[in-house]
Amino acid sequence: MARFHLPILNMPKDNIHIYSIMWNEEFILPYFLRHYSQFADKIFILDDHSTDKTAKIAKANPKVTLLKYDYSGGLNEDNFNKCFSESYKKYSRGKSHWVMCADADEIIHNNNMVANLQNQRQKGIRIIRTTGYTMISKKLPHLNGQIYDECKIGIRTREYDKPVVFDPELNIAFDHGRHNIKPLTNIKPVRAKLALLHFKYLSRAFYRRCRSASRWWGFSPGPSAARPSRRSSRRSSRSSRPLPNSHRQWPSPSWCWRSPTFHWSSANWCP
């Protein structure tokens, strides 16, 4: 492995910054903040013109810095990646040892995150690839604890093995969805027992009404979560289809219930 010199930071422990772009995430944001506030020194949230209580909830957390999202046009991965890149270089270089880029429904987990990351840095590791799981639940979480203590059923999903934990001194260029990065000379992502728990399928109601349907599929389900017409359903499923038959049923039996599932425990998960 190539030798390098880390920037000199006068900090007693590894400093961790979190970055997330959000739009209308008032339901899941409290779970996001409860988890990352356990170990993050700062949480940067870029509010993409939310119309709900996302900004209000974010401002109430002392670790959160609410940043302006200067782009428009809805879901645009190129703009998202550019925004992530500009933000971490501006706010974290020379101030943080590690940066994590996560969506509102993505929880990056390890029982002892700070010690683990510090150990990885001492080994010379600069980019970490997470181990991804899709979490599914028939009922919405409703307690004031951690979301993974309520919703424990998941499926191993290699699509979410994302290299989203890294040294901010690096010039990271993500692809769409941050599933991978452009290669860096002599530096490759490694695994370090960091799970990425993707909480997208939290009941049928949550999937159809809360997950920004108008941004993803081009229709708004409205207060009654009415089903779109067959024509719009076929058109939207061709352009963006997170799971088979996602417009007609939740969860898709052919995808979820026929795949190997596991019961999540913060003390025991498949690396």
Side-chain angles (χ1 to χ4, degrees):
M1 180 176 293
R3 293 184 177 273
F4 60 90
H5 297 282
L6 290 169
I8 297 175
L9 300 172
N10 296 320
M11 301 176 186
K13 68 175 183 65
D14 277 16
N15 197 300
I16 304 169
H17 288 179
I18 313 297
Y19 287 85
S20 185
I21 299 173
M22 298 190 181
W23 182 80
N24 286 2
E25 300 288 0
E26 65 178 356
F27 174 78
I28 206 163
L29 178 55
Y31 290 100
F32 180 96
L33 295 177
R34 276 197 290 272
H35 171 71
Y36 287 106
S37 293
Q38 296 178 111
F39 57 84
D41 296 274
K42 289 187 178 181
I43 302 172
F44 296 91
I45 293 179
L46 296 107
D47 182 28
D48 184 8
H49 311 90
S50 295
T51 57
D52 63 357
K53 298 179 181 179
T54 295
K56 182 179 179 180
I57 295 171
K59 290 178 180 178
N61 189 297
K63 290 191 175 184
V64 170
T65 298
L66 198 62
L67 301 178
K68 184 178 179 181
Y69 184 78
D70 292 324
Y71 302 91
S72 60
L75 184 66
N76 187 309
E77 289 289 352
D78 291 328
N79 288 344
F80 287 176
N81 290 341
K82 185 176 180 181
C83 190
F84 275 124
S85 179
E86 292 174 346
S87 298
Y88 87 77
K89 291 175 182 177
K90 180 177 180 180
Y91 296 103
S92 295
R93 281 193 167 172
K95 302 175 183 178
S96 177
H97 296 92
W98 294 99
V99 160
M100 296 183 179
C101 296
D103 292 338
D105 55 6
E106 293 178 343
I107 297 296
I108 301 173
H109 185 278
N110 181 275
N111 283 332
N112 197 341
M113 184 69 74
V114 174
N116 187 357
L117 291 180
Q118 191 160 357
N119 183 47
Q120 300 306 316
R121 189 170 63 89
Q122 291 173 353
K123 294 178 181 179
I125 303 302
R126 305 185 75 185
I127 310 175
I128 297 174
R129 185 180 295 278
T130 59
T131 300
Y133 300 88
T134 297
M135 308 302 290
I136 56 177
S137 175
K138 291 185 177 181
K139 296 181 179 180
L140 283 171
H142 63 281
L143 302 178
N144 292 324
Q146 299 298 342
I147 191 169
Y148 41 79
D149 289 333
E150 287 191 72
C151 304
K152 300 182 179 182
I153 297 178
I155 299 168
R156 177 72 175 94
T157 312
R158 297 187 184 279
E159 179 184 355
Y160 299 122
D161 292 0
K162 298 183 177 183
V164 290
V165 182
F166 56 90
D167 178 355
E169 299 303 315
L170 297 175
N171 292 317
I172 299 296
F174 288 115
D175 66 2
H176 286 186
R178 292 160 298 287
H179 296 279
N180 220 325
I181 59 174
K182 292 183 179 179
L184 297 172
T185 304
N186 297 326
I187 302 176
K188 293 183 178 180
V190 301
R191 296 186 188 273
K193 290 192 175 182
L194 298 189
L196 189 151
L197 309 179
H198 188 205
F199 289 92
K200 185 174 184 178
Y201 301 95
L202 300 178
S203 83
R204 178 176 179 173
F206 179 79
Y207 181 63
R208 295 181 64 190
R209 294 171 57 184
C210 302
R211 296 308 307 149
S212 309
S214 60
R215 276 162 71 89
W216 284 95
W217 303 322
F219 70 89
S220 178
S224 63
R227 182 177 298 176
S229 67
R230 290 185 178 181
R231 179 178 297 179
S232 64
S233 179
R234 287 196 300 268
R235 182 173 60 250
S236 58
S237 65
R238 285 195 300 267
S239 60
S240 176
R241 185 184 302 178
L243 290 178
N245 302 319
S246 58
H247 298 301
R248 300 181 180 86
Q249 54 189 320
W250 185 94
S252 171
S254 63
W255 189 84
C256 290
W257 307 126
R258 294 180 186 176
S259 301
T261 61
F262 73 99
H263 289 267
W264 167 264
S265 168
S266 61
N268 182 23
W269 58 277
C270 301

